[in-house]
Amino acid sequence: MPDYTVTHLNQLESEAIFVLRETAAQFERPVLLFSGGKDSIVMTYLARKAFWPARIPFPLLHVDTGHNFPETIDYRDNLVAELGANLVVGSVQKAIDEGRVVEEKGANASRNSLQIQTLLDALEDGQYDAALGGGRRDEEKARAKERFFSHRDEFGQWDPKNQRPELWNIFNGRMSPGEHFRVFPLSNWTEMDVWQYMKRENIDLPSLYYAHDREVVVRNGTILAVSEFVQPRDGETAETKRIRFRTMGDATITGAVESEASTMDQIIEEVAAARETERGNRADDKRSESAMEDRKKQGYF
């Protein structure tokens, strides 16, 4: 049985469930953005609890860069089958093939920014008027100013002047045709809260989150797992390190941390001692001081 003596987790859970139910009530075609990372996993489990015994009343949308960790895709497919959920996949590779986006060139090319157009296309194709995301305010400075209900214009862009006040948890989801909202049920959660909640609820995760031996290269200070997408360059040497991942994403940019934490209890201890945000080792966020803010304005999250 879950331990319900941890009252702050109960409060966070109740708040997130309220936001999920409010989203289902106010919008006609919401969708849950599912990356296969721990925040989207927790949000999916919260959605199941919010609408139980009915199925989750909106689909899961995964933007597939084509450079995913196999463990993430396997986990996604198993979870969707377990929940009986509807999965929608937006393909970056398809967008490249159709000429919707142009793949970057050069040594540090990334498909991360290409997710923007792929996501916006998927939202338009599905006529979704609300996209539930797993953003938290302790995760990255560009997310700290978000509302629970975050307005997006007809181009999918975020404008701080168009955001609505949220007094006493009253959410204003009114919008003009072609606009939509991003909704963040985990806004008041921290990384520590997420891990404590997953432990309490006994939520399974992709094995990548736990310490394991893996062949890696260290590139510009970021530990990258060697794979079909990441190979040692001239001057780089592949080596085996005991690592785990704090975030999940495109294998070409998602950095690992050296760790011995192979259980949730050990990870909670590690998170408590950490002095760098979990996105601090994401190669794409290091491109500029405003990298996430720029992508956010363009419709990234």
Side-chain angles (χ1 to χ4, degrees):
M1 292 290 292
D3 179 11
Y4 287 103
T5 60
V6 187
T7 56
H8 84 283
L9 292 181
N10 295 340
Q11 181 178 0
L12 290 171
E13 178 189 68
S14 296
E15 179 182 64
I17 287 175
F18 172 75
V19 174
L20 285 161
R21 290 172 175 167
E22 191 71 14
T23 302
Q26 287 204 38
F27 299 99
E28 298 203 3
R29 292 184 63 83
V31 67
L32 190 153
L33 303 180
F34 186 85
S35 67
K38 64 184 182 308
D39 297 331
S40 64
I41 291 170
V42 165
M43 194 164 55
T44 303
Y45 275 91
L46 286 166
R48 181 174 71 167
K49 184 175 286 194
F51 301 104
W52 181 266
R55 290 185 179 182
I56 298 174
F58 33 74
L60 277 55
L61 170 58
H62 178 221
V63 177
D64 181 359
T65 67
H67 292 165
N68 293 287
F69 292 102
E71 295 92 333
T72 304
I73 300 301
D74 290 343
Y75 180 94
R76 179 199 72 184
D77 294 343
N78 291 334
L79 181 62
V80 167
E82 176 190 341
L83 299 180
N86 179 23
L87 175 67
V88 178
V89 178
S91 170
V92 171
Q93 184 61 57
K94 181 181 177 183
I96 294 171
D97 294 342
E98 293 177 348
R100 296 284 295 164
V101 295
V102 178
E103 189 155 23
E104 292 182 4
K105 307 297 182 183
N108 296 314
S110 166
R111 287 188 171 185
N112 208 41
S113 63
L114 307 188
Q115 295 180 89
I116 299 171
Q117 188 62 52
T118 306
L119 171 58
L120 294 177
D121 287 346
L123 294 176
E124 185 175 357
D125 290 344
Q127 297 183 339
Y128 300 118
D129 52 4
L132 291 146
R136 307 186 323 266
R137 288 184 180 139
D138 75 320
E139 186 178 2
E140 204 279 335
K141 58 188 177 184
R143 302 175 187 243
K145 62 192 76 170
E146 279 289 10
R147 306 287 199 271
F148 281 103
F149 277 25
S150 181
H151 176 269
R152 296 296 193 272
D153 64 19
E154 64 271 25
F155 301 106
Q157 297 176 332
W158 175 85
D159 185 342
K161 299 187 295 295
N162 289 334
Q163 305 309 311
R164 288 82 186 271
E166 292 182 343
L167 306 176
W168 306 290
N169 284 344
I170 297 175
F171 305 133
N172 180 356
R174 284 180 290 183
M175 59 190 166
S176 299
E179 299 175 346
H180 73 275
F181 275 78
R182 303 292 172 86
V183 181
F184 300 103
L186 305 185
S187 283
N188 286 327
W189 295 54
T190 66
E191 183 184 10
M192 177 65 79
D193 294 328
V194 169
W195 279 104
Q196 289 180 332
Y197 185 78
M198 290 188 296
K199 178 188 174 184
R200 191 185 84 171
E201 299 295 312
N202 196 29
I203 294 175
D204 290 329
L205 289 171
S207 59
L208 297 169
Y209 276 110
Y210 299 97
H212 58 287
D213 293 330
R214 202 179 192 102
E215 191 177 24
V216 302
V217 294
V218 180
R219 182 172 298 163
N220 299 324
T222 299
I223 301 174
L224 298 174
V226 173
S227 68
E228 62 178 304
F229 313 118
V230 177
Q231 291 293 315
R233 298 173 182 168
D234 291 341
E236 294 179 343
T237 302
E239 55 186 318
T240 299
K241 290 181 178 287
R242 191 158 183 81
I243 63 164
R244 73 176 192 87
F245 294 88
R246 293 177 69 186
T247 65
M248 213 56 56
D250 190 301
T252 65
I253 56 174
T254 302
V257 294
E258 293 190 69
S259 173
E260 296 291 333
S262 57
T263 67
M264 279 204 181
D265 284 330
Q266 292 172 337
I267 290 175
I268 288 171
E269 290 181 11
E270 187 176 270
V271 170
R275 292 296 176 265
E276 185 177 48
T277 66
E278 61 195 291
R279 291 187 66 96
N281 59 349
R282 289 283 293 246
D284 54 320
D285 288 352
K286 295 179 179 180
R287 289 191 168 192
S288 73
E289 283 292 322
S290 61
M292 176 61 80
E293 185 78 11
D294 294 340
R295 294 199 302 274
K296 170 182 171 179
K297 290 179 179 178
Q298 298 165 8
Y300 178 72
F301 79 91

